[in-house]
Amino acid sequence: MDREDLWRALGLDLEAHGALLEALGPLYQEVFLSQENRPEGMGYFDSVVADIHGARVAELLQIRESGRPVVGTFCVFVPKEVIWALGGACVGLCAGVEVATEKVEELLPRNLCPLIKAFFGFKLARLCPYMEVCDFLVGETTCDGKKKAYEIFEAYKPLYVMQVPQRKDEASFTLWLEEIRRFVNHLEEVLGKALSPQKLREAIELINRKRKALARLNRLRFNDPPPISGRDALLIHQLAFFDDPERFSSRLEALCDELEERVKAGEGVCPPGTPRIILSGCPMAIPNWKVTHLVETSGAVVVGEESCVGSRYVGELVAVSETSRKGLLRALAERYFKIDCAIFTPNPERRRHLASMVAQSGAQGVIHYALKFCDPYTVESYLVERESPVPVLRLETDYSPEDREQLRTRIEAFLEMLS
Amino acid sequence: MDREDLWRALGLDLEAHGALLEALGPLYQEVFLSQENRPEGMGYFDSVVADIHGARVAELLQIRESGRPVVGTFCVFVPKEVIWALGGACVGLCAGVEVATEKVEELLPRNLCPLIKAFFGFKLARLCPYMEVCDFLVGETTCDGKKKAYEIFEAYKPLYVMQVPQRKDEASFTLWLEEIRRFVNHLEEVLGKALSPQKLREAIELINRKRKALARLNRLRFNDPPPISGRDALLIHQLAFFDDPERFSSRLEALCDELEERVKAGEGVCPPGTPRIILSGCPMAIPNWKVTHLVETSGAVVVGEESCVGSRYVGELVAVSETSRKGLLRALAERYFKIDCAIFTPNPERRRHLASMVAQSGAQGVIHYALKFCDPYTVESYLVERESPVPVLRLETDYSPEDREQLRTRIEAFLEMLS
C-alpha cells in the first residue's frame, strides 16, 4: 500500500504528518548516521526508522483487517503476552516529541509530564499512525499524571485501565494478580474467545526471546570498548515496542553475533578507556535521543539504560514451567511485579539494580534523567544520588531542544569531574 | 508551662518561630477580625488561633508524657478512630506556608506541590511544634509526591505509611481493609496493647460527633444569607485537625445553635442575594486563606468547600451498629473508602458530590482551587469544569502572596460574569 494512502486511510493530518517525518531525517542523520564504527547489523534498524510510520503500520493494519486486535500501550506493566496469546498484536505509541501544545493545554494542565502531553498531542493532531491503527489502548495507574489523564483521553480512544499497586507486599501482589485476571477476562469477553494455555506459553516464549536478545545486547555493552554506541542501543530498545517481535529478535540476535565478534577482535565504537555512563530514570520515546546524543558527543559513551526503555523493560523472563492457565497467569504476575519502577514505595530494588549495572559495566558515573514534573522520578532521584556507588548528575528536562546547550555544559562539567 | 519553655523543650528554632507567629497576627486581623457581623461563637476559635502553637501543643505534650502516643497525619484517609481508641491522640501538621525553601530544595525537586515542600520546611527549620510533639507520623500513598517524599522524610521522623488503592472496586476494597488491619496490628505491636472493640466504638462516636457538628455547620451555610462567612467556616474545618475533638465538638455545637438563631432571625454575614461560591479542590492548611479571602472581599460569599479541609473530611459517619473488632474495622474501611479524592480513577463520585453541594447551597459558581503541580487535582479539574452545573473558574496557585492581585482580577471577572 502506498504510504500516503495508508496514512489517509488512518485519518492522519497528511500535511502536518509530512512535516513531522521530514524533520526526523536530518535529526537521524545527525544523531545516528554520522557515527563512526557502527556495526553492520544496525542497517536493519536504520531501515525500520527510515520507514517508521510505514511498513510496520501497514502490517498492523493487515492484522486488524484480518479480525485480530491491535492494542496500544504506554507502559512496561501491561502484560503483552496475553494480547499476543489471544491472537492480537501489541504496539507502543508516539510520545517522544511535543506536538499540538495549544490543543493539549485545553485539556491538560501546562505543568504536566511532557510524555503525557505528547501522546495527547499526537492524538489531537492526528499524527500517530500507531495510535490510529489500534482497536483500543491499555493504560495503567502507574503515575498520577497518566492515571488521571486517561479519564480525559478515553473520550478520544477506547481505553482499558489496569490498576498497578504501589507497594511490594503480599496484599499488593494479590491485587496485581487479580488485575491480570480481570484484564484477561476483559480481553476474552471483548474478543469472544478463550485464552489457551498453550498459546499463552507460546506468547511468553515469543516475548522472552525478545527480552533475552535485549539482555544479551546489554551484557555485550559491558565490554570496554563497547561494541555498540549508547545511541544505537537506545534506538533498539525503542524499536522493541514497535516491531514484530519475531523479526526483531532474529535481527537483534544476528547483531549480537556481530557484536560478539567485535568484542573478540577488541573492536569498539570508541577507544578503550572512554568514560562510561549509565543513564537512569524516565523512559525516552522516539525521537527523544537528546541526552544520550549529548553524552556521546561530549567524549563519553553510554553503556546502559536503567529505564523502562532499557533494563527495566528487559528485566526478568516469565517462567514457563507452568502449564495451567492459573499457573501461567501467576508466573506473568510475578514477573511484572518485580519491575522496580519509581511508583513503588519503598523502592530499594531500583537502587540495588542500578548499583549492579554500575558494577557490571564499570561505569564511572550515572546521569539521572527525569522528565519535568515527573514526581516519582524527580523525587526518587535524591535517593538514587545518595546511594549511588559513583557520582550522579541529576537532569530534569522536557522535549524542547532549547535547553540543549545548557545540558551540554552540565554534562561536560560532570564528565570533567569524573576524569 | 511558659510558651517559650514549651517550644524550647520541643527543640524549635525560637527566633525563626517567633517571627513566624508574629507574621500571623496582622494576617489574622486582616482576614478574620476585620469581618463584620461575625457570630459570637467564633470567639473560641479566635482564641485557639491566638495561641495556635501553645495551649493545644502543651496538652499534646502532656498526653505524650503520660505515656500515650501522639500521632501526626497529613491526610483524611488515616483512620484516626483507631489511634484514639488505643489511647493516643491524633493531630494535623503545619503545611500551609512556604518556609526554609532552600533547605527543602536540597531534598526535593523545585517543581513539587507546595504542601509537601511546606511540611518538609517546617521540619527542617524546626518550626512546627505539632510535628515535634508527635511520637510518629502516619503517611499514605495518596499522591505520587507525598508517596515518594515520605521515603526521604523518614530520615527526619519515624513514619508509618498506609497504601491507599486507586480504584473503587472489590479487589481495591479488599486491599484497603487489609491495610487498616495491618495498621491496627502495627499500632498494637508498637504500643504493646490490644485494641478493645468497646474503646473503638467510643472513638468512632467521638469522631462521628465532630463530623456531625461540621456537617451541621455546612448545612447552615446553605441558607441565604449564610449565618457565617466562608473564612470562618474554613478556619473551623482547619482547626478540626488540631483541637481536642470533644471540646471542639461542643464549641462547634454551641456555635451552630447560635447560627440557627441567626438563620431564624434572617441574620447573616452579608446581604441576602450575595453571589454564592463553592470552593472545590485541594486542601487549604492554616494559614492558607488566600482564595477565600479574595472571594469574600470581592463581593461574594463562600458557602462550601468540596475539599479535604471541608466536605471531604466531614463525609459520612462510621456505622457503629457493629460490636466485633472485625465488624468495626470493616465499618471503618467502608467509611474511608467512600472518600471521593482525585487520586481515584475514575472518580465520578466527586463530581456528583460537587453538583449536589451546588444544588443544596444555591451557589452560582464553583472556584476550582488546585495547588501548583498537583496532578490529581489539576488534571481532574478539566472534568469538574466540563460536568459542573454552574460556571467554573479554575485556579492553580501556591502559597506565595505574589499572585494575589492576579488572582483577584480573575476572581472579580468571574463574579462579574455570574451576575
Side-chain angles (χ1 to χ4, degrees):
Chain A
M1 196 182 206
D2 173 70
R3 295 293 173 256
E4 288 249 331
D5 290 344
L6 173 67
W7 298 329
R8 193 174 295 114
L10 291 171
L12 294 199
D13 177 336
L14 290 184
E15 199 178 326
H17 182 253
L20 187 77
L21 286 191
E22 222 160 273
L24 193 65
L27 181 63
Y28 196 74
Q29 172 65 39
E30 184 197 346
V31 177
F32 291 94
L33 302 179
S34 68
Q35 296 176 96
E36 283 171 17
N37 300 323
R38 291 181 86 206
E40 276 181 29
M42 283 309 296
Y44 168 71
F45 300 100
D46 287 340
S47 74
V48 172
V49 177
D51 193 23
I52 183 81
H53 283 183
R56 182 61 184 150
V57 175
E59 285 176 0
L60 292 169
L61 186 59
Q62 252 183 346
I63 290 176
R64 186 171 136 171
E65 284 177 346
S66 73
R68 295 163 54 202
V70 178
V71 181
T73 63
F74 297 100
C75 179
V76 301
F77 273 103
V78 178
K80 56 179 71 179
E81 290 86 346
V82 172
I83 296 165
W84 289 100
L86 281 159
C90 193
V91 68
L93 300 164
C94 311
V97 62
E98 193 176 325
V99 291
T101 309
E102 240 175 83
K103 277 187 189 167
V104 171
E105 291 179 358
E106 283 170 24
L107 303 181
L108 294 177
R110 184 170 306 160
N111 293 334
L112 192 71
C113 158
L115 191 146
I116 300 172
K117 292 169 84 170
F119 81 70
F120 266 70
F122 272 99
K123 178 65 199 165
L124 297 175
R126 295 180 289 122
L127 290 173
C128 175
Y130 294 101
M131 171 80 77
E132 301 309 325
V133 79
C134 283
D135 290 280
F136 61 92
L137 312 181
V138 182
E140 17 51 48
T141 64
T142 45
C143 65
D144 289 341
K146 277 197 285 178
K147 174 174 73 179
K148 297 307 289 181
Y150 291 143
E151 294 174 29
I152 300 173
F153 202 71
E154 66 179 7
Y156 301 89
K157 190 87 192 174
L159 186 66
Y160 177 90
V161 177
M162 299 184 75
Q163 180 172 201
V164 180
Q166 309 178 55
R167 209 168 46 202
K168 296 213 169 161
D169 54 17
E170 220 181 289
S172 302
F173 179 75
T174 303
L175 180 86
W176 177 234
L177 182 58
E178 182 55 35
E179 273 303 287
I180 291 192
R181 282 199 201 113
R182 193 178 72 100
F183 179 53
V184 172
N185 293 345
H186 171 81
L187 289 177
E188 288 181 323
E189 210 179 289
V190 166
L191 305 177
K193 64 196 276 191
L195 180 70
S196 126
Q198 180 51 33
K199 292 271 182 217
L200 182 53
R201 279 175 65 98
E202 286 165 23
I204 287 173
E205 273 160 4
L206 177 77
I207 305 300
N208 273 356
R209 181 182 167 195
K210 177 158 74 158
R211 299 200 210 267
K212 253 190 260 182
L214 287 164
R216 185 177 160 208
L217 169 71
N218 285 334
R219 275 194 310 276
L220 283 161
R221 297 165 70 194
F222 292 162
N223 289 287
D224 184 13
I228 186 167
S229 70
R231 276 163 286 181
D232 282 335
L234 171 61
L235 181 71
I236 290 168
H237 283 89
Q238 290 173 328
L239 293 174
F241 290 89
F242 293 91
D243 204 0
D244 173 77
E246 197 163 334
R247 182 176 56 219
F248 176 88
S249 300
S250 97
R251 294 303 192 135
L252 179 53
E253 286 157 5
L255 174 69
C256 287
D257 292 342
E258 181 192 349
L259 298 183
E260 261 168 24
E261 291 306 315
R262 295 190 121 199
V263 169
K264 275 187 210 149
E267 276 173 42
V269 286
C270 52
T274 299
R276 301 162 74 78
I277 295 295
I278 298 279
L279 282 185
S280 170
C282 288
M284 294 172 176
I286 293 176
N288 179 14
W289 305 305
K290 184 163 72 171
V291 170
T292 305
H293 183 50
L294 285 170
V295 172
E296 297 200 331
T297 51
S298 301
V301 61
V302 175
V303 293
E305 295 78 22
E306 190 282 315
S307 161
C308 296
V309 182
S311 66
R312 212 175 299 125
Y313 172 76
V314 179
E316 309 207 13
L317 304 180
V318 181
V320 275
S321 50
E322 298 284 345
T323 52
S324 69
R325 173 190 175 110
K326 199 175 158 190
L328 287 166
L329 291 188
R330 172 171 280 272
L332 268 182
E334 282 170 356
R335 187 266 167 202
Y336 281 89
F337 198 60
K338 283 184 194 145
I339 297 173
D340 50 5
C341 172
I343 62 150
F344 286 100
T345 188
N347 190 31
E349 295 87 350
R350 181 177 167 220
R351 273 106 70 191
R352 281 201 291 271
H353 173 202
L354 179 60
S356 128
M357 284 177 73
V358 166
Q360 288 183 276
S361 68
Q364 286 94 28
V366 168
I367 294 184
H368 191 279
Y369 171 82
L371 288 169
K372 233 173 170 173
F373 310 120
C374 170
D375 288 350
Y377 283 93
T378 56
V379 177
E380 190 165 284
S381 70
Y382 170 82
L383 298 172
V384 168
E385 178 169 13
R386 198 176 69 182
E387 296 175 18
S388 169
V390 292
V392 175
L393 172 66
R394 290 198 271 160
L395 302 179
E396 204 178 314
T397 179
D398 55 20
Y399 293 159
S400 132
E402 277 164 32
D403 61 354
R404 208 173 131 144
E405 288 316 307
Q406 193 199 332
L407 290 175
R408 183 184 288 283
T409 306
R410 292 188 60 200
I411 289 168
E412 283 176 354
F414 180 66
L415 296 175
E416 182 78 18
M417 194 263 293
L418 294 182
S419 64
Chain B
M1 199 183 203
D2 173 69
R3 294 293 175 256
E4 288 250 328
D5 291 344
L6 171 69
W7 298 330
R8 193 175 294 113
L10 291 171
L12 296 198
D13 177 336
L14 290 185
E15 199 178 325
H17 181 253
L20 187 75
L21 286 191
E22 223 161 274
L24 193 64
L27 180 64
Y28 197 74
Q29 171 66 41
E30 184 196 347
V31 177
F32 292 93
L33 302 180
S34 68
Q35 297 176 96
E36 282 171 18
N37 302 323
R38 291 181 86 207
E40 275 180 32
M42 283 308 296
Y44 168 70
F45 301 100
D46 286 340
S47 75
V48 172
V49 177
D51 193 22
I52 183 81
H53 284 183
R56 182 62 184 149
V57 175
E59 284 176 1
L60 291 168
L61 186 60
Q62 252 183 348
I63 289 176
R64 184 171 137 170
E65 282 175 347
S66 73
R68 295 164 54 202
V70 178
V71 181
T73 62
F74 296 100
C75 178
V76 301
F77 273 103
V78 177
K80 56 178 71 177
E81 290 86 346
V82 171
I83 297 165
W84 290 100
L86 281 159
C90 194
V91 68
L93 299 164
C94 310
V97 62
E98 192 177 326
V99 291
T101 308
E102 240 175 84
K103 276 186 188 167
V104 171
E105 291 181 357
E106 284 171 23
L107 303 180
L108 294 177
R110 183 170 308 160
N111 293 335
L112 193 71
C113 157
L115 191 148
I116 300 173
K117 292 170 83 170
F119 80 68
F120 266 69
F122 272 98
K123 178 65 200 168
L124 297 175
R126 294 180 288 121
L127 292 172
C128 175
Y130 293 101
M131 170 80 77
E132 302 308 325
V133 80
C134 282
D135 289 281
F136 61 92
L137 313 182
V138 181
E140 20 48 50
T141 64
T142 44
C143 65
D144 290 340
K146 277 198 283 176
K147 174 173 74 179
K148 297 305 290 181
Y150 291 143
E151 295 174 29
I152 300 174
F153 202 70
E154 67 178 5
Y156 301 88
K157 190 85 191 177
L159 186 65
Y160 177 89
V161 177
M162 299 184 76
Q163 180 172 203
V164 180
Q166 309 176 57
R167 210 168 45 202
K168 295 210 168 161
D169 54 17
E170 220 181 290
S172 302
F173 179 75
T174 303
L175 180 87
W176 177 235
L177 183 58
E178 182 55 35
E179 273 302 287
I180 291 192
R181 284 200 198 113
R182 193 179 71 100
F183 179 54
V184 172
N185 293 344
H186 171 81
L187 289 178
E188 288 180 323
E189 210 179 289
V190 166
L191 306 177
K193 65 196 275 191
L195 180 70
S196 126
Q198 180 51 33
K199 292 270 183 218
L200 183 52
R201 279 175 66 96
E202 286 166 23
I204 288 173
E205 273 161 2
L206 176 77
I207 305 300
N208 273 355
R209 181 183 167 193
K210 177 160 72 160
R211 300 199 209 267
K212 255 189 260 183
L214 287 164
R216 186 177 161 207
L217 169 71
N218 286 333
R219 274 194 310 275
L220 283 161
R221 298 164 71 195
F222 292 162
N223 288 287
D224 184 14
I228 186 168
S229 71
R231 278 164 284 183
D232 282 335
L234 171 62
L235 181 72
I236 291 168
H237 283 90
Q238 290 173 327
L239 293 175
F241 291 88
F242 292 91
D243 205 359
D244 173 77
E246 197 163 334
R247 182 176 57 219
F248 176 88
S249 300
S250 97
R251 295 302 192 135
L252 179 53
E253 286 156 5
L255 174 69
C256 287
D257 291 342
E258 182 192 350
L259 299 183
E260 261 168 23
E261 292 306 315
R262 295 190 120 200
V263 168
K264 274 185 213 152
E267 276 173 45
V269 287
C270 52
T274 299
R276 301 161 73 78
I277 295 295
I278 298 279
L279 282 184
S280 170
C282 288
M284 295 173 175
I286 293 176
N288 179 13
W289 305 307
K290 186 164 69 173
V291 170
T292 305
H293 182 50
L294 285 170
V295 171
E296 298 200 331
T297 52
S298 302
V301 62
V302 175
V303 292
E305 295 78 24
E306 190 281 315
S307 160
C308 296
V309 181
S311 66
R312 212 175 299 126
Y313 172 77
V314 178
E316 308 206 14
L317 304 180
V318 181
V320 278
S321 49
E322 298 285 345
T323 51
S324 68
R325 172 190 176 111
K326 200 176 158 189
L328 287 166
L329 292 188
R330 172 172 279 271
L332 267 181
E334 282 168 355
R335 187 264 167 204
Y336 281 89
F337 198 60
K338 283 183 195 145
I339 297 173
D340 50 6
C341 172
I343 63 151
F344 286 101
T345 189
N347 190 31
E349 295 87 349
R350 181 178 165 219
R351 273 106 68 191
R352 281 201 290 270
H353 173 202
L354 179 60
S356 128
M357 284 177 74
V358 167
Q360 290 184 275
S361 68
Q364 287 93 27
V366 167
I367 294 184
H368 191 278
Y369 170 82
L371 286 169
K372 233 175 170 171
F373 310 121
C374 171
D375 288 351
Y377 283 92
T378 56
V379 177
E380 192 165 283
S381 70
Y382 170 81
L383 298 172
V384 168
E385 179 169 11
R386 198 176 68 183
E387 296 174 19
S388 169
V390 292
V392 175
L393 171 67
R394 291 198 271 161
L395 302 178
E396 204 178 316
T397 179
D398 56 19
Y399 293 159
S400 131
E402 278 162 32
D403 61 355
R404 209 173 128 144
E405 288 317 306
Q406 192 199 330
L407 290 176
R408 184 185 288 283
T409 306
R410 293 188 59 200
I411 289 168
E412 283 176 354
F414 180 66
L415 296 175
E416 182 78 19
M417 193 264 291
L418 294 183
S419 63

